[in-house]
Amino acid sequence: MIKRILLCAIACITFTTAMADEGMWLPSLIKERIKVMRKKGFRLKADDVYSDRKASLKDAVMQFGGGCTGEFVSAEGLLLTNHHCGYASIQKLSSVEHDYLTDGYWAKSRAEELHVPGLTISILERMEDVTDRIAAGESKESIIEQAKQGKGCRASIESMYYGNQHYLFVYRVYNDVRLVGAPPSSIGKFGGDTDNWIWPRHTGDFSMFRVYADANNEPADYSTDNIPYRPKRYFPISTKGVEEGDFTMIYGFPGNTQEYVTADAVEYVAEISNPMKIALRTIRLDIISEAQSKDVATRIAYAAKHANIANAWKKWEGESLGLERLGTADKKRAYEKNFAAWAADKPQYTTLIDSMHAAYKKAIPGYFARELFNETIAGIEVYNFAAWLVAQHSKGEKLTADVQVIGRQYYLKDYRAQIDKTIATHMIAEFIKRMPVENIPQELTAAIENYGGVESFVENLYNQTQLITKYPLTTEEILNDPMVQFATWFVPQVNKNREYAYRNLSNVPTIEKWYKEYMQALREWDKERAFYPDANFTLRVAYGTICGYENADGEYHTHLTTLDGIMAKDNPEIYDYNIPQVLRDIHAEKDYGRWGIEKNGKQTIPVCFLANNHTSGGNSGSPVINGKGELVGINFDRTWRSTMSDIEFDPSICRNISVDIRYVLFVIDRIGDASYLFNEMDLK
Ligand code: ARG
Ligand code: GLU
């Protein structure tokens, strides 16, 4: 018994000490954290953060597009988010004559604000714990239906703690959203993929939009009659800056963490999934980079694709290194052993760990096959077009010229057949090498044999297909096309993949059902641990302090970067580091006006800062708020060595990266010449 208590105590210590600023908290429960927050320097009350009766900070926060966060900064619907969150919208509005991605864009009046078709923002009206209602027999559908009242209302029920709790979220979705301003990519994407996930960082990663509504402030389709939306609350902006040790809070929509998973899940990520995905993406990125280095048009055409593939690739590398450094899998094994010892005399939990272990064993092959397929075959661009045509046809859609246009625009955008073919050759070879034989379509094996190898098979495939070269095609031509045939060979695999199409391996239903019990049991057993639900794209609060960190032995990284760091990286020869001439001029003349700060006895401009808030993908664009509830920055990244925080948060090293709001204001004023926007903002 004593041994058991001791073991438990050791386990608890490992986890509680690691808990300093860990956590993504549900705003409606923030009263449970407010004491700690106030100790760290927060001055507002719990119902200033979240209330469904009066205006609170949550009314100033929104989900921007599908996967980012944004925040209101004026009473007239003006909002800030990241440049990389607005990127697709800015690209959509750009043309060769008006290249807003390269040159930036600033509306000089409301009339010049540009509507972005398809862009929506969602504001949370309220959230409610509906666990008891569901337990009492109400159906989720009827709860959602009852909740959906008013124009543009969206409601959903999200599970927390693997189905132990259910929360209803009710949003208002606005779809008249207009671009107000964006810096040139040389500022908004400064450092590109080279600096992505890296500190010291110098990216001005912000863009501005405005939400429009009808005369009643309700959602309405785009119309020139619409007027700026009036949010219940917006953020005042601090121009005073941040100091090491200052309180910060992040309010946003993090997408996916898995802090409670067992060692089996960690080992799957660290030893099987990440290494496979990293190796395959390295091959794809090398092929794309090589082609890009030879031709400027190709560099531009494949820029966004490269950025997308590289973003997760680099994150997984950091994550695997982090998990290894922390020994997360071993720690979890020890934790589970102690748990099992405690559970030994609790009939309902005795076999739980064993059941979970067995469930993982059973689900891993299917999940792995799906991931491998996604990273190989589904990495072939024209395959995706072919597979889409096959899916349309089997749904009974006519493959008209118009339908073909839609597919071509989506799947063959900025397309280079030569790059795709090289990728296809490598990806098919890797697929065959890595996939268990029973999952390899026999038609594929036969065809490769027939052509005497993958290379000539692919050569022939690309020579024969008309999907790339001819438009429109007759239905017959499509169905007989060799690329379409190739796609049909994978239909059984694609169908099977659906059974495993969950956020993480742990969310596959045959595994997740055990987590429901495991979470219950952990909360009974590990009383010291502060539990918060894993991120699932619902609104969360994270809090912490502004701080640097020791990056390597004896190498401390301070919390703030400045314009001088941009100048040190500036290089007209390197695309990612070629800043606008006006910024060089401003720096040469030290002409900083009201935006200058003193650092090491010299005048400069603040650019980015670090803090130890627990954030994840989806927190991009989140407001960074000081103790007074004022906006001091916009969150956009984590440091590379932080990325394992989706599985284990290490307070000594995990840092989120934000663009300093003073840099945002400086760029609006001095690069965008749009300081008229300050009139509607509340600058403190
Ligand atoms: N790493 C950040 C995030 O996960 C920024 C990504 C966009 N920037 C880029 N260079 N790809 O989304
Ligand atoms: N850049 C990420 C996003 O788009 C945020 C960085 C992170 O994963 O922490 O949400």
Side-chain angles (χ1 to χ4, degrees):
M1 188 65 195
I2 295 202
K3 200 169 150 209
R4 234 178 253 163
I5 294 175
L6 239 150
L7 279 173
C8 168
I10 292 167
C12 295
I13 289 165
T14 351
F15 276 91
T16 42
T17 49
M19 223 143 40
D21 290 301
E22 176 178 351
M24 303 169 165
W25 308 96
L26 287 172
S28 60
L29 300 178
I30 205 66
K31 45 188 178 299
E32 293 167 11
R33 311 301 312 169
I34 201 78
K35 260 205 195 124
V36 190
M37 291 169 72
R38 290 183 66 96
K39 231 185 234 152
K40 288 181 175 290
F42 192 49
R43 311 250 194 93
L44 309 186
K45 297 198 199 66
D47 66 353
D48 295 320
V49 175
Y50 178 90
S51 167
D52 40 34
R53 281 166 297 109
K54 60 165 205 169
S56 62
L57 293 185
K58 80 130 177 36
D59 299 306
V61 185
M62 75 204 72
Q63 187 161 46
F64 182 90
C68 278
T69 305
E71 55 274 2
F72 287 117
V73 289
S74 94
E76 296 172 87
L78 189 63
L79 72 90
L80 280 168
T81 185
N82 288 146
H83 185 264
H84 80 260
C85 296
Y87 199 83
S89 301
I90 303 166
Q91 184 174 43
K92 204 182 256 179
L93 298 170
S94 294
S95 60
V96 177
E97 304 85 62
H98 301 286
D99 186 354
Y100 304 139
L101 274 182
T102 306
D103 306 329
Y105 178 77
W106 291 96
K108 289 286 138 72
S109 68
R110 299 261 162 103
E112 286 182 13
E113 295 175 356
L114 303 172
H115 174 237
V116 188
L119 177 63
T120 61
I121 64 109
S122 306
I123 304 166
L124 181 69
E125 298 220 308
R126 65 187 180 89
M127 56 190 286
E128 182 188 332
D129 187 343
V130 292
T131 316
D132 293 344
R133 288 172 64 182
I134 291 172
E138 263 187 90
S139 79
K140 288 187 185 175
E141 291 72 27
S142 83
I143 296 176
I144 289 173
E145 267 328 296
Q146 277 172 45
K148 271 206 292 199
Q149 270 163 31
K151 238 171 135 183
C153 210
R154 166 165 78 85
S156 65
I157 292 177
E158 306 296 340
S159 128
M160 306 286 166
Y161 301 114
Y162 293 91
N164 278 294
Q165 283 176 20
H166 298 278
Y167 273 79
L168 169 72
F169 292 86
V170 183
Y171 301 90
R172 280 300 178 109
V173 183
Y174 288 80
N175 60 1
D176 185 352
V177 185
R178 305 183 196 175
L179 176 67
V180 174
S185 290
S186 53
I187 287 179
K189 214 177 172 314
F190 180 78
D193 283 337
T194 319
D195 281 10
N196 191 23
W197 301 110
I198 296 291
W199 185 262
R201 187 66 154 275
H202 300 90
T203 312
D205 199 343
F206 81 96
S207 57
M208 292 188 101
F209 293 79
R210 193 188 303 279
V211 180
Y212 281 77
D214 68 14
N216 302 318
N217 213 28
E218 308 232 294
D221 290 343
Y222 170 76
S223 155
T224 46
D225 294 336
N226 286 348
I227 53 171
Y229 169 72
R230 298 177 302 285
K232 285 189 210 131
R233 198 61 190 259
Y234 64 93
F235 288 106
I237 295 175
S238 167
T239 58
K240 309 259 166 13
V242 292
E243 301 282 348
E244 189 134 28
D246 284 357
F247 171 88
T248 57
M249 169 181 144
I250 304 269
Y251 214 158
F253 291 85
N256 184 10
T257 62
Q258 28 179 353
E259 311 287 345
Y260 305 101
V261 291
T262 58
D264 284 336
V266 178
E267 275 166 8
Y268 176 73
V269 170
E271 287 163 26
I272 300 175
S273 173
N274 281 0
M276 177 266 286
K277 294 189 290 191
I278 291 164
L280 293 168
R281 287 199 177 197
T282 305
I283 299 172
R284 273 160 80 197
L285 288 167
D286 285 347
I287 294 166
I288 295 173
S289 301
E290 160 98 14
Q292 284 179 308
S293 70
K294 288 193 186 132
D295 173 45
V296 182
T298 305
R299 193 202 71 227
I300 296 168
Y302 272 68
K305 293 176 190 174
H306 189 282
N308 262 337
I309 301 169
N311 190 42
W313 165 77
K314 201 164 176 183
K315 188 215 145 170
W316 293 325
E317 278 198 320
E319 182 176 75
S320 283
L321 285 172
L323 292 172
E324 198 180 305
R325 185 183 66 85
L326 292 176
T328 305
D330 289 344
K331 271 194 270 180
K332 296 247 183 192
R333 284 252 183 266
Y335 186 73
E336 285 149 34
K337 224 171 137 191
N338 296 335
F339 168 81
W342 169 83
D345 58 1
K346 318 238 165 1
Q348 74 273 38
Y349 299 136
T350 322
T351 55
L352 186 52
I353 291 288
D354 291 339
S355 303
M356 293 176 87
H357 192 60
Y360 272 110
K361 248 200 161 130
K362 232 175 137 194
I364 281 177
Y367 198 78
F368 175 79
R370 169 179 169 253
E371 290 205 300
L372 178 59
F373 177 84
N374 284 347
E375 293 295 327
T376 51
I377 306 301
I380 303 168
E381 292 174 78
V382 67
Y383 158 78
N384 288 301
F385 180 37
W388 180 81
L389 290 167
V390 171
Q392 295 304 307
H393 181 69
S394 64
K395 271 194 285 180
E397 283 275 345
K398 290 226 158 35
L399 302 176
T400 60
D402 286 351
V403 167
Q404 291 174 48
V405 168
I406 295 170
R408 291 180 74 90
Q409 279 171 350
Y410 189 81
Y411 293 103
L412 299 182
K413 188 167 176 284
D414 298 325
Y415 182 74
R416 298 285 187 280
Q418 192 52 48
I419 296 180
D420 200 33
K421 189 169 97 180
T422 313
I423 287 178
T425 310
H426 284 83
M427 291 303 109
I428 293 172
E430 292 291 330
F431 174 82
I432 287 171
K433 192 171 99 193
R434 293 166 185 266
M435 189 63 108
V437 198
E438 64 269 23
N439 293 332
I440 301 174
Q442 274 163 14
E443 297 94 325
L444 179 65
T445 319
I448 291 172
E449 221 174 83
N450 201 15
Y451 284 101
V454 173
E455 210 160 319
S456 45
F457 164 68
V458 172
E459 189 66 41
N460 192 70
L461 190 61
Y462 278 73
N463 282 341
Q464 304 282 309
T465 182
Q466 299 192 91
L467 291 193
I468 305 160
T469 45
K470 192 173 164 205
Y471 163 84
L473 294 161
T474 66
T475 304
E476 213 192 330
E477 282 172 323
I478 291 175
L479 297 179
N480 290 324
D481 190 275
M483 194 63 76
V484 172
Q485 300 277 311
F486 174 75
T488 57
W489 301 342
F490 293 97
V491 169
Q493 174 79 55
V494 169
N495 288 336
K496 199 151 172 255
N497 286 345
R498 289 207 189 95
E499 289 171 43
Y500 296 93
Y502 293 87
R503 260 212 296 276
N504 303 297
L505 170 60
S506 308
N507 302 109
V508 171
T510 53
I511 298 181
E512 203 183 62
K513 66 172 188 203
W514 298 109
Y515 271 105
K516 190 174 175 195
E517 280 177 48
Y518 184 53
M519 289 306 306
Q520 258 169 28
L522 282 189
R523 297 175 90 163
E524 282 172 40
W525 170 60
D526 193 350
K527 296 265 197 283
E528 297 295 306
R529 193 168 179 180
F531 289 91
Y532 55 91
D534 274 319
N536 56 0
F537 283 109
T538 59
L539 188 60
R540 302 300 175 89
V541 172
Y543 56 83
T545 44
I546 301 281
C547 51
Y549 70 104
E550 193 174 80
N551 182 56
D553 187 35
E555 179 189 314
Y556 191 77
H557 283 188
T558 58
H559 73 281
L560 189 74
T561 59
T562 65
L563 183 56
D564 292 271
I566 295 183
M567 298 316 299
K569 286 178 179 172
D570 175 32
N571 184 342
E573 304 289 309
I574 303 175
Y575 181 77
D576 285 342
Y577 296 108
N578 181 13
I579 59 171
Q581 188 55 40
V582 306
L583 195 53
R584 289 188 192 114
D585 296 343
I586 291 171
H587 178 259
E589 280 152 35
K590 300 275 174 292
D591 173 22
Y592 301 147
R594 66 189 284 205
W595 309 114
I597 61 158
E598 201 188 293
K599 192 185 170 190
N600 304 333
K602 282 197 321 203
Q603 281 292 301
T604 190
I605 299 287
V607 176
C608 291
F609 63 77
L610 287 179
N612 62 358
N613 301 282
H614 191 179
T615 55
S616 190
N619 269 123
S620 274
S622 296
V624 188
I625 302 157
N626 68 12
K628 292 192 251 178
E630 300 160 346
L631 192 69
V632 290
I634 309 169
N635 183 71
F636 71 95
D637 212 359
R638 277 174 287 172
T639 60
W640 194 55
R641 299 191 58 196
S642 301
T643 47
M644 75 298 179
S645 69
D646 291 346
I647 297 176
E648 184 181 352
F649 183 87
D650 173 1
S652 72
I653 206 157
C654 288
R655 299 292 178 267
N656 64 308
I657 303 177
S658 305
V659 52
D660 193 305
I661 203 68
R662 293 169 297 176
Y663 186 53
V664 172
L665 298 172
F666 163 81
V667 171
I668 294 174
D669 181 14
R670 302 299 300 281
I671 310 293
D673 194 18
S675 61
Y676 81 92
L677 290 167
F678 299 159
N679 297 336
E680 62 181 292
M681 299 190 219
D682 183 5
L683 302 189
K684 302 274 185 200

